[in-house]
Amino acid sequence: MAVYDIVVIGGGAAGLSAAAAAAGLGLSCVVIDRMGGGGELMNLGSLHDLDEPLTGPDLAARLLENAVTAGAELEIGEVTGLAREGEGWRVSTDDGHHDARAVILAIGLAPGTLGLANEDDYEARGLSHCATCDGPLYRGEPVVVAGADRWAALEAQELSAGCSEVTLVTQGGVAPASDGFTVISGRIVALEGARGLDAVTVQPDDGSAPKRVTTQAVFVQTGRRPAGGFALQGLACGPDGRLVTDDARQTSLPGLYAAGDARTGAERTLGFAMEDGRRAAAGALAPKLNPLGKSAG
Ligand SMILES: Cc1cc2nc3c(=O)[nH]c(=O)nc-3n(C[C@H](O)[C@H](O)[C@H](O)COP(=O)(O)OP(=O)(O)OC[C@H]3O[C@@H](n4cnc5c(N)ncnc54)[C@H](O)[C@@H]3O)c2cc1C
């Protein structure tokens, strides 16, 4: 068992940026990630909104290097528990535990669901959560994207380059501008197919008759929430299931911070996630500089 100033749970853009900032500020820090780091970035091709052209894995490699160079440790593992331990926290993993003065939850969002009873039957047999990874499997076939945010629309646009027909179903969101794909304002209410997916039924929002849409795959970009079953009990969450923090990124529990997509109100962009990570690290540093909470002067 090791004792750290900060344990960062999740090694995506937010977690790695938090770790680089924390280690750069002289704090001892370990990042624990089940996949070894990168998070969502590992699923992304060319990135938008950055100052230079980069792929997701390029940026992940750069953030990992920054964190390690600054002195942060990286551990591959699944975090299974988080509990108060004295003045700090105990983080349990599938391989032991670490104690820390502060913890930063940078756990991102788990893959979304459609909320249908037989959904599990189609997981990896037509249901996918990554267009960059699985899109090429459906070249020349019709596919559906479920979700209406900017990233869902981008996935639909990217898929339209190789798939015969792309339909975006909004799932309660606002219909995006369509660029090479068809938009249906409605919800998927049934999945169909014996050996894989053959079609979905969509209930349009305007109350008109359900539509059957032939498709070999549904790329699910809706219903995503933080998967923090190990930690979220007792933590204040927004209506979207994401964690509520104050300006310093501290959650409703002392010494427990949240950053990136897992934090309610955070714009789901890389720039935001990286800045959030840095702010959480600075927030976690403040009590160490001023342990008795005395005001300066
Ligand atoms: C399709 C798509 C395209 C996008 N394109 C862009 C773009 O072009 N430009 C842009 O700015 N933004 C883009 N985004 C948004 C951007 O990718 C995210 O905002 C950002 O990656 C979130 O980073 P994060 O660190 O908060 O979470 P994540 O990257 O999700 O990292 C969370 C990490 O925590 C780990 N984790 C969770 N729970 C545990 C646990 N119990 N134990 C161990 N590890 C755990 C996960 O495995 C993961 O590695 C896109 C998003 C999507 C979905």
Side-chain angles (χ1 to χ4, degrees):
M1 183 199 79
V3 180
Y4 293 90
D5 287 319
I6 297 186
V7 170
V8 180
I9 305 176
L16 291 174
S17 302
L25 290 165
L27 302 178
S28 60
C29 174
V30 62
V31 186
I32 307 171
D33 189 278
R34 61 163 71 99
M35 303 298 287
E40 191 75 52
L41 283 170
M42 303 312 282
N43 296 333
L44 303 180
S46 345
L47 299 172
H48 303 253
D49 298 352
L50 298 180
D51 295 337
E52 53 182 320
L54 282 175
T55 67
D58 287 343
L59 180 58
R62 188 181 290 184
L63 293 175
L64 264 169
E65 191 183 337
N66 289 349
V68 171
T69 305
E73 295 172 30
L74 178 67
E75 181 174 310
I76 301 174
E78 177 75 24
V79 171
T80 53
L82 177 62
R84 205 82 175 115
E85 180 72 17
E87 295 287 287
W89 292 92
R90 173 158 293 180
V91 180
S92 303
T93 68
D94 46 10
D95 195 33
H97 64 262
H98 299 307
D99 287 342
R101 198 176 47 72
V103 169
I104 298 175
L105 290 165
I107 53 179
L109 301 174
T113 65
L114 300 169
L116 300 177
N118 64 343
E119 205 166 327
D120 287 352
D121 299 346
Y122 292 97
E123 202 58 54
R125 293 172 62 240
L127 281 193
S128 169
H129 306 275
C130 176
T132 305
C133 328
D134 297 336
L137 300 175
Y138 301 100
R139 188 164 283 278
E141 308 282 357
V143 298
V144 164
V145 173
D149 68 14
R150 181 180 169 204
W151 305 129
L154 195 76
E155 288 219 314
Q157 191 190 329
E158 282 176 11
L159 287 163
S160 68
C163 297
S164 60
E165 191 168 351
V166 180
T167 305
L168 181 148
V169 182
T170 54
Q171 298 291 121
V174 177
S178 151
D179 187 359
F181 53 91
T182 304
V183 176
I184 304 180
S185 290
R187 284 182 188 276
I188 297 172
V189 291
L191 305 170
E192 193 189 305
R195 281 198 302 254
L197 203 56
D198 292 332
V200 297
T201 306
V202 179
Q203 175 60 62
D205 290 338
D206 62 9
S208 58
K211 288 189 171 120
R212 186 174 182 276
V213 180
T214 304
T215 185
Q216 295 296 296
V218 177
F219 292 89
V220 183
Q221 275 297 339
T222 188
R224 302 190 63 182
R225 299 167 85 87
F230 62 88
L232 300 190
Q233 302 90 338
L235 274 176
C237 294
D240 54 4
R242 301 197 288 164
L243 299 163
V244 173
T245 70
D246 61 16
D247 284 350
R249 305 303 185 254
Q250 185 166 242
T251 67
S252 53
L253 299 178
L256 188 56
Y257 296 77
D261 281 8
R263 184 177 71 77
T264 198
E267 216 177 75
R268 288 177 51 208
T269 64
L270 291 161
F272 220 91
M274 293 187 283
E275 177 58 19
D276 238 33
R278 291 188 282 267
R279 288 186 65 166
L285 174 69
K288 180 167 170 146
L289 291 177
N290 190 10
L292 301 177
K294 288 180 187 157
S295 55

